[in-house]
Amino acid sequence: MTPATQMLILAVVVGVLGGLGALLFKKLILIFQGAFWNTPDMASDTLLAVKWYRRLLMPMIGGLIVGPLIYFLAREAKGPGVPEVMIAVIVKNSIIRPIVVLVKILASALSISSGGSVGREGPIVQIGASIASTTGQLLRLSPVQLKTLVGCGVAAGISATFNAPIAGALFSLELIVSDFGLTPFTPILVSSVSAAAITRHFHGNVIEFVDLEQFAMRSPKEFVFYLILALTAGFVAFVFSRSIYRLEDIFNKTKIPQWIRPAFGGLIVGIIALKFPHVMGVGYDTIEEVFDKNLVLNTMLFLVVLKILATSVTLGSGGSGGVFAPSLFIGAMLGGAFGNIVNNLFPNITSPPTAYALVGMAAVNGACTMAPLSAIIVLVELTNEYGIILPLMFTVVIATFVARKLCPESIYTEQLRRKGIMSHHGEDLNIIRMISVKDVLRNDEVTIYENSKFEELVRLALETHRNNIFVIDSNGKYKGAIQLLDLKYVLSNPEELSHIHHIVDFINELPPVLINQSLDKIVDSFSGTSFDRLPVVDSHRKLIGSVIMSDIMRRYNQEVANRNITIELGARIPAHDKSNMLHIGGDSVIAEIEVPVWMVGKELSELKLRTLYNISVFLVKSKQEKGESQFITPNASYVFRDEDVILISGTEKDIESMKKNS
């Protein structure tokens, strides 16, 4: 069986499992919804009929359950779900712990059904990705294959949620895999279709928003109104995206324990729901009210603001759920309100308000995710409405452009940026960002004091043959740099040497590099100067060394090579089984083990593992403060920490000796 055939079969399997996972998730939401509210749906009229104290307290009770569930079992299940999948693909070789499937299903279903202002699409994406990753790990797929399979899981999740196979495939390719080549496209599309087939088998060919009136542009002049809507939608999407992380920062600054914060977020949502229960849950019922023209202008404008607040509080406090549906909700309210205004002012040349609501949904969603193509196709498949495809495309693209100008990060990639992951530039840049200046620091630079005589500078330039000379003051603080080229005219004309020159006349304003900077920033500094060496200073601007571009490239290439070797070997060891060993020939094995107690607190260099035990350390999986793991290629100065997991090679006997320090 060829690898391509194997991948297609796995794509079908993941699509079926993803579809079943989505059905299970939706079923759990209905079950929990009945337990919390004892109602068949969460429409605003239904919730208004519920006792006021239940609307106030149920979101808090849901948060009390969700908080400990996430904090103690799987913290990756917190948040929208899509950013966590992107992080796994970029820096964790597409490895997602199997427990994430269970925790994400329970936590998100509880958050949604108890009244949390979140959607179900993001969780289903993470559920599908987790199923795919677990399947790939069990079959020991290569990292490239595992990445494609995770993309299949994401596509299956979106496809099963919306009954939208094309949108599912595009969403995965546009946001997760970032590759529209034929190799990943085929299995991802197959998986998306398989998931949609499962959904249709159990529920029929259901369209989320049905019985919409037929839309068509009444006049080309309407493009002016759609332009205004696009500009507004782009700004609203920017506010929504930033609000989530702003609320998260606020909660992080409090002394409230992480496991109980979702309860406080739920209480705030409950307070909002006393008057506006529309903000609770997924919100599709309220969107239907817009299409049925049951909401007035003021209510829709209020709901734009309140939904942003409610969703930001739910997720910022540590709840679990997606932002896809809330962005559709906000867009529908914004577009519906805008449509009411222009339709009242210009009734003869404008479409019904519901047309603007539909376009607003896609515009805000596309601007939030910065995935305009997926947003357009999702809306078309959600509504089966093609009559306003031109204004839909126009508005979504302009809104996305506006949001990107206001901030280059999407609602998903902002979380990655906060973790130091540059999703726009691929995983190789993330590797170079992990290398510090200390790793390439040199101490062979040539320096001269700023009050030295010019003759000393000439002598130094002739003796050292260095292109750059750094100038310091009497305290060793960096003052600037001198290029040999600037001295060329003086040195090549003996008559010039008889004139009076001063060192300060030749000093260039070359910005120094800070010792704690990452190499990607330094590469940018090199691109903006003609110097081949940059000075390195500490926080007090004292010169402590220098860096050159060739050292950076050498270290980068070494890190890429080490990472590739490690990925290829380590990916064959199931991530959830730290005792597994992979035999690589002879008596040698590669093993993933918890760092022995006797190594904690010591540098890699002082342990002399290669000399004493013939052991090589390839990779360290280090647990961070918030419980997340970071993959590190250790250098000689790396200090091992408690709970570190290391990927090592050697014989089984040597590994046992190292564990016991014998």
Side-chain angles (χ1 to χ4, degrees), residues 156-198:
I158 290 292
S159 177
T161 303
F162 293 120
N163 186 24
I166 299 175
L170 289 178
F171 183 91
S172 177
L173 292 166
E174 196 169 11
L175 286 176
I176 306 300
V177 180
S178 299
D179 182 1
F180 282 84
L182 185 61
T183 300
F185 179 81
T186 303
I188 285 174
L189 185 59
V190 167
S191 185
S192 186
V193 171
S194 301
I198 291 296

Side-chain angles (χ1 to χ4, degrees), residues 5 105 182 329 347 361 409 427 435 506 512 598 620 637-638:
T5 303
I105 286 177
L182 185 61
F329 181 104
M361 290 170 67
E409 303 296 340
E427 59 186 78
I435 307 172
F506 296 90
W598 69 272
V620 177
S637 61
Y638 180 81

Side-chain angles (χ1 to χ4, degrees), residues 274-336:
L274 289 175
K275 180 68 175 176
F276 294 96
H278 312 71
V279 301
M280 301 178 102
V282 175
Y284 286 162
D285 292 314
T286 304
I287 295 176
E288 289 280 8
E289 291 185 47
V290 176
F291 291 138
D292 293 337
K293 302 177 182 179
N294 293 332
L295 293 179
V296 298
L297 175 62
N298 289 342
T299 300
M300 288 187 283
L301 290 175
F302 272 124
L303 288 177
V304 171
V305 177
L306 293 177
K307 188 66 174 181
I308 291 176
L309 176 60
T311 304
S312 300
V313 166
T314 302
L315 293 176
S317 64
S320 179
V323 295
F324 203 98
S327 70
L328 295 177
F329 181 104
I330 294 166
M333 299 305 124
L334 177 67

